[in-house]
Amino acid sequence: MRSKKKSASISKECVACGCCVKSCLLGALSVYRGMYALVDEHKCAGCGKCADVCPAQVISVAAREAAQC
Amino acid sequence: MLKQQKHWYDYLWIASAVYLTLGFFNILFAWLGLICFITPLLIAIVKGNKSYCNRFCGRGQLFELLGYRLGLSRRKAPPKFLCSSWFRYGFLAFFMTMFFVMLYATCLVFVGATLNEAVTLLWVFKLPWNWVDTSFVAPWMAQFAFGFYGVMLTSTVLGMLTMLLFKPRSWCVYCPMGTMTQGICQIKHRKENPNETPNKGNCRTAEGSCQ
Ligand code: SF4
Ligand code: SF4
Ligand code: SF4
């Protein structure tokens, strides 16, 4: 069973600017091939810092189970 | 507390600030701006990534510094239309059209038209800029410098405005270079199915986003 840990998730309107990557001190974010940002949910602590800086407002932080694909 | 490690490229905002200042002393320095035009495109075309935006862009860093460190930004979410594809690509098309109009003006001077010593801000306002002697270069070279500096100044002013009103790096959402490099990367990697990207437990289908 999975724990209900919070985690960031990124929608497809990401502009790949990379602001979120710099903001995450846990190194949970990366920009994949210049197309969009990806969250490594094993590293993400759900602090929401990336969502605060994202200028395109495409990051939401929610309990991991609710954010399942 | 954890802290992000600093790299040499985290100081490129200085280059950006110096560039904008140099244009006031001699417009011919505007030519240096071509570096910020060609480098991101080359990286996107050859390497297929956006490391220019993600690491090296001094302008993005400058907005971050002014917005967060100096606290000049309201840090509010930008309006939704700003991040929509139609606005981003529409703005790119508009920006490129104005860029080609500027190149056309340069060509006209090349074939003999007189040099117009003014920097056009926001595509409308002509700022007189005739305090530097540019007679030691060909007139078309000076004309390109005036035109290109206008492009750089206009984008900086727009970026500053959205930095003040919204989040510090709101400009990055509709920055023509950012849109163009992302577009190139998407075309380059078009064969990849987004659902089959290396799954690091990512989820890109969150709701409540900028639609
Ligand atoms: S929520 Fe916090 S830990 Fe998770 S990706 Fe964003 S900044 Fe990093
Ligand atoms: S800050 Fe937002 S728009 Fe920029 S790369 Fe991260 S998720 Fe994408
Ligand atoms: S989007 Fe534009 S301003 Fe932002 S980092 Fe990329 S090139 Fe620089």
Side-chain angles (χ1 to χ4, degrees), chain B:
Chain B
M1 207 182 117
L2 281 171
K3 241 187 154 196
Q4 203 83 290
Q5 209 188 331
K6 284 269 183 197
H7 303 273
W8 65 268
Y9 49 75
D10 290 321
Y11 298 94
L12 286 172
W13 59 270
I14 300 173
S16 233
V18 168
Y19 173 78
L20 288 169
T21 322
L22 283 177
F24 282 86
F25 294 104
N26 195 326
I27 194 71
L28 294 173
F29 282 114
W31 276 84
L32 289 175
L34 277 178
I35 300 171
C36 332
F37 217 77
I38 295 167
T39 321
L41 290 178
L42 272 183
I43 296 178
I45 294 167
V46 178
K47 295 250 192 180
N49 66 38
K50 273 192 41 143
S51 56
Y52 183 81
C53 288
N54 303 160
R55 287 202 178 133
F56 308 117
C57 178
R59 176 180 301 223
Q61 293 170 10
L62 194 63
F63 292 146
E64 230 165 63
L65 192 95
L66 296 173
Y68 288 117
R69 286 260 200 96
L70 302 188
L72 296 178
S73 171
R74 281 170 70 227
R75 304 192 198 182
K76 297 272 188 248
K80 283 188 174 175
F81 76 87
L82 208 68
C83 359
S84 62
S85 298
W86 67 264
F87 181 80
R88 292 180 62 218
Y89 280 96
F91 187 72
L92 170 64
F94 171 71
F95 206 88
M96 290 317 283
T97 311
M98 297 320 265
F99 188 77
F100 283 110
V101 169
M102 183 275 282
L103 285 185
Y104 180 67
T106 307
C107 293
L108 286 185
V109 172
F110 184 74
V111 295
T114 44
L115 172 67
N116 180 11
E117 289 190 318
V119 166
T120 313
L121 186 64
L122 294 167
W123 307 285
V124 185
F125 309 106
K126 300 236 184 269
L127 314 178
W129 213 274
N130 47 9
W131 55 82
V132 186
D133 179 24
T134 53
S135 57
F136 57 93
V137 292
W140 71 270
M141 290 181 99
Q143 186 63 61
F144 179 80
F146 281 112
F148 198 71
Y149 194 69
V151 169
M152 297 301 268
L153 206 60
T154 299
S155 50
T156 309
V157 167
L158 284 179
M160 288 282 181
L161 274 178
T162 42
M163 179 275 289
L164 294 170
L165 292 173
F166 313 117
K167 292 193 181 181
R169 277 182 64 171
S170 299
W171 164 254
C172 293
V173 172
Y174 63 104
C175 166
M177 291 319 290
T179 309
M180 222 176 343
T181 47
Q182 188 189 25
I184 293 170
C185 292
Q186 281 166 343
I187 293 170
K188 217 174 139 92
H189 307 302
R190 68 188 172 283
K191 294 212 178 84
E192 266 178 44
N193 182 346
N195 300 322
E196 286 171 11
T197 47
N199 203 326
K200 292 162 109 185
N202 64 80
C203 169
R204 299 185 54 245
T205 50
E207 288 141 358
S209 58
C210 173
Q211 320 249 313

